[in-house]
Amino acid sequence: MDLFDRFAGNDSWHTRRLLEYAGTLTEDQLDRPLSTVVEVLPWRESNKTLRQLLENIVFTKEVWTAALSGAEMDMNGPPKSQRSPQAMLQRLEKTDAELHRIFGDIRNRSSWDDTFVDALCEPAETFTYGGVFAHIMTFNAHRRLMALDALRQLGVQTEGFGDPMEYEESVAPWSSRYLSKRHEKTPRTASDLHEDQRL
């Protein structure tokens, strides 16, 4: 994995986990005002409940996916029916697939410094691909950590802290957890032992 894989992969992996945790909560818990709300973003967005925090994470990706692909986007956001944890998880999977495809192509062409016109801005603005990727990762990391804290306030027993090293450990071939799962599923062979020694 390179840095793109680590940052993009962790953001998607941790967001999925947060939405899965949120899926165990009631509607009342999802919409309960949070006791602690940290306003640090340079624009105003509603983040007073866990549902709003999670919606902002997913919607941010949807907006940038549309901007990068030149698609139209309803900036008012999706209807309430699309804001349940399960619906947001489906939306995340869809937008992540396209966003990772776009950024993966940019990475493969080493085009992070190239620019594009974001026609969704009023007026339209020009950004670099690298700047947009860093922007998404930075502000969604803030939202994810706030959502993690909100889940804990609501009594959810969560694991980890959304650390990219946790993501790396969960998927990397050198991970002891990865190897143990692999060994549980398949019989040991001489080639397996040789591969483990190389790792």
Side-chain angles (χ1 to χ4, degrees), residues 14 17-18 21 25 29 34-35 50 144-163 166:
H14 190 225
R17 295 187 75 181
L18 294 173
Y21 286 133
L25 298 174
Q29 289 173 311
L34 301 176
S35 59
L50 175 60
R144 285 190 288 103
L145 294 178
M146 287 183 65
L148 181 62
D149 181 64
L151 284 163
R152 290 173 175 166
Q153 288 183 40
L154 291 165
V156 178
Q157 298 297 310
T158 61
E159 293 183 5
F161 301 93
D163 190 326
E166 296 168 359

Side-chain angles (χ1 to χ4, degrees), residues 42 112 117:
W112 294 115
V117 176

